[in-house]
């Protein structure tokens, strides 16, 4: 049972070591929203990271901050909440805003774990003590730079490579990569940058023996994804399209995808992420966990999900130093090496989420702060 006395809300810009380029744009800093809840003298942190502009989804960090401050937190602070489902019910009359809702749901889970004296992963039902992670490369200045980065990742033992894919960084890029790395497990992420008019392009991609094509078409197009899935041999993975367990079930029934990328932020939090995991297991659909370049607080929330049983592909969860000179939160996430030399990240066993922002660093990165307290 969680009764939040107050929640402090921070919108932050965390400078990236190099710009993150995707089909939807370029980020020099990762904008994120951190929440710090207080309940009966106990504190807990959570994080949601929709990025600076409404380009990955319709949400953005400034909007999520305002939505939490003005609507979501006033609806839950001071209320007795017995479960993540109950949090969802309290917020159900607010439409959309899933990244914003995720902060409330995740805060409930981290607070409940902290009050029970267990780790978030344990409370969720996770069993694994570490999670295999993959390598992930955005659009770079040159193909030579990309090939060198992939070479380093392969040498470091990464067993799957994910590449961002957008117009101008497409078939020629893949041909060069496959020429140099003919047998590595590789997949591409289109971030919804294409339409069915590009079907010929996707047919040509079958030649590259990709593990999957992530989010080829617009987020809302479950039907078009089902049409594309019938046409090409490469499995389709959906990310942006899967906003909830309901859309997951619809996508599975329609045949829109063979794999789902589960991101707790995108789907409104851990309660919904768990439900999507169950829908994937039931539907025999592959699944893996993705991230949004979160700080070590948000990345640990993703890790707790990835440690649940049944994930079939290495996660997009990164050691802090992959994107940040210094993580906003501590302890930073570091890689460990698995039995077969593969990079993994340990699932924290500490109580709650097991990390919190460094106070000075938080002050440096903070763009906006608010506090919502019970009357
Ligand atoms: Mg994606």
């Amino acid at each position: 049972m969680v009764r939040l006395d107050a929640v402090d809300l921070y919108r932050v810009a965390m400078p990236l070591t190099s710009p993150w380029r995707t089909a939807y744009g370029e980020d020099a800093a990762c904008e994120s929203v951190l929440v710090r809840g207080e309940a009966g003298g106990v504190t807990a942190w959570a994080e949601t990271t929709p990025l600076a502009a409404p380009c990955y989804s319709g949400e953005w960090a400034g909007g999520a901050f305002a939505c939490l401050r003005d609507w979501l937190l006033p609806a839950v602070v001071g209320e007795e909440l017995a479960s993540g489902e109950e949090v969802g019910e309290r917020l159900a009359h607010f439409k959309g805003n899933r990244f914003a809702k995720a902060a409330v749901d995740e805060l409930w889970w981290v607070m409940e774990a902290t009050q029970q004296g267990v780790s978030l992963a344990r409370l969720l039902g996770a069993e694994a003590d570490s999670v295999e992670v993959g390598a992930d490369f955005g659009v770079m200045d040159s193909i030579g730079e990309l090939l060198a980065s992939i070479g380093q990742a392969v040498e470091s033992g990464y067993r799957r490579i994910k590449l961002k894919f957008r117009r101008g960084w497409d078939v020629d890029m893949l041909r060069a990569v496959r020429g140099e790395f003919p047998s590595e497990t590789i997949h591409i992420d289109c971030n919804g940058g294409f339409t069915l008019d590009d079907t010929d392009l996707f047919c040509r991609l079958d030649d590259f023996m990709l593990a999957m094509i992530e989010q080829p078409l617009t987020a809302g197009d479950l039907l078009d994804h089902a049409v594309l899935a019938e046409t090409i041999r490469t499995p389709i993975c959906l990310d942006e399209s899967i906003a909830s367990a309901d859309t997951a079930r619809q996508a599975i029934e329609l045949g829109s995808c063979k794999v789902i990328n589960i991101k707790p932020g995108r789907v409104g939090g851990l309660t919904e992420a768990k439900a999507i995991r169950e829908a994937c297991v039931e539907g025999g659909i592959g699944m893996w966990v993705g991230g949004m370049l979160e700080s070590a607080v948000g990345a640990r929330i993703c890790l707790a999900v990835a440690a649940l049983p049944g994930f079939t592909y290495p996660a997009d969860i990164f050691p802090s130093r992959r994107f940040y000179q210094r993580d906003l939160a501590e302890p930073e996430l570091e890689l460990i090496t698995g039995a077969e030399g593969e990079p993994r990240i340990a699932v924290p066993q500490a109580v709650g989420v097991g990390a919190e922002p460094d106070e000075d660093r938080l002050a440096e990165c903070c763009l906006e702060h608010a506090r919502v307290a019970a009357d």
Side-chain angles (χ1 to χ4, degrees):
M1 177 69 70
V2 169
R3 182 188 176 279
L4 292 163
D5 301 318
V7 178
D8 279 288
L9 195 55
Y10 303 87
R11 180 166 68 92
V12 298
M14 308 183 288
L16 297 164
T17 45
S18 58
W20 181 238
R21 286 184 211 139
T22 63
Y24 55 78
E26 174 169 333
D27 286 284
C30 172
E31 273 202 29
S32 187
V33 177
L34 286 115
V35 287
R36 176 187 174 277
E38 297 169 14
V42 176
T43 65
W45 285 89
E47 177 177 11
T48 192
T49 312
L51 304 178
C55 292
Y56 167 79
S57 73
E59 291 184 80
W60 74 105
F65 180 92
C67 184
L68 281 158
R69 179 195 58 203
D70 297 344
W71 299 105
L72 306 185
L73 289 173
V76 296
V77 168
E79 303 293 325
E80 301 226 322
L81 301 163
S83 65
E85 283 80 10
E86 199 178 331
V87 174
E89 284 160 21
R90 292 287 174 127
L91 302 180
H93 61 296
F94 300 116
K95 305 294 184 288
N97 290 286
R98 292 180 189 275
F99 274 99
K101 288 180 178 177
V104 185
D105 173 86
E106 291 165 3
L107 186 59
W108 183 90
W109 279 91
V110 177
M111 183 60 85
E112 177 71 16
T114 308
Q115 288 177 349
Q116 287 188 24
V118 299
S119 70
L120 173 64
R122 168 77 69 84
L123 182 65
L124 269 183
E127 290 161 6
D129 54 12
S130 69
V131 165
E132 182 173 358
V133 296
D136 195 330
F137 299 104
V139 176
M140 295 188 172
D141 290 336
S142 71
I143 286 175
E145 189 188 344
L146 175 68
L147 295 178
S149 303
I150 296 174
Q152 275 174 10
V154 170
E155 247 174 58
S156 306
Y158 281 100
R159 298 199 286 196
R160 70 99 170 133
I161 307 287
K162 165 171 163 173
L163 305 172
K164 290 296 187 185
F165 186 90
R166 71 177 183 191
R167 291 184 207 283
W169 187 258
D170 46 48
V171 177
D172 288 346
M173 177 275 291
L174 266 187
R175 192 174 292 114
V177 170
R178 263 299 177 227
E180 193 123 340
F181 305 97
S183 59
E184 301 300 326
T185 299
I186 294 174
H187 92 262
I188 57 168
D189 184 2
C190 306
N191 287 110
F194 297 85
T195 70
L196 277 186
D197 291 345
D198 300 298
T199 299
D200 285 352
L201 168 73
F202 288 114
C203 288
R204 285 162 70 201
L205 297 189
D206 277 338
D207 293 342
F208 293 104
M209 305 303 290
L210 299 170
M212 62 187 89
I213 298 176
E214 185 176 341
Q215 198 66 47
L217 314 177
T218 315
D221 277 341
L222 288 186
L223 217 47
D224 284 2
H225 278 107
V227 171
L228 184 62
E230 288 261 294
T231 315
I232 63 175
R233 290 195 307 273
T234 312
I236 291 176
C237 167
L238 289 180
D239 173 356
E240 286 92 328
S241 285
I242 307 299
S244 65
D246 282 338
T247 46
R249 276 189 287 274
Q250 289 159 7
I252 295 167
E253 268 179 44
L254 282 168
S256 311
C257 64
K258 287 276 189 292
V259 185
I260 290 178
N261 171 344
I262 301 181
K263 292 180 180 167
R266 186 195 70 226
V267 304
L270 292 166
T271 307
E272 202 69 16
K274 268 170 73 92
I276 293 173
R277 192 199 74 88
E278 279 151 29
C280 288
V281 171
E282 226 166 81
I285 291 288
M287 58 181 177
W288 54 287
V289 170
M292 296 295 295
L293 314 183
E294 295 89 346
S295 82
V297 169
R300 276 175 166 80
I301 291 171
C302 297
L303 261 180
V305 177
L308 290 167
F311 284 91
T312 55
Y313 197 68
D316 257 357
I317 302 173
F318 306 101
S320 299
R321 296 301 165 105
R322 168 70 178 83
F323 291 106
Y324 299 106
Q325 208 150 40
R326 198 180 142 203
D327 204 299
L328 176 71
E330 288 176 337
E332 297 196 330
L333 285 181
E334 287 170 14
L335 289 179
I336 57 172
T337 305
E340 291 165 37
E342 80 283 9
R344 307 181 74 87
I345 297 182
V347 178
Q349 306 300 314
V351 170
V353 77
E356 61 179 48
D358 173 83
E359 223 172 283
D360 295 337
R361 189 90 183 108
L362 180 61
E364 276 165 32
C365 295
C366 187
L367 303 172
E368 219 175 341
H369 167 252
R371 181 174 169 89
V372 178
D375 300 330

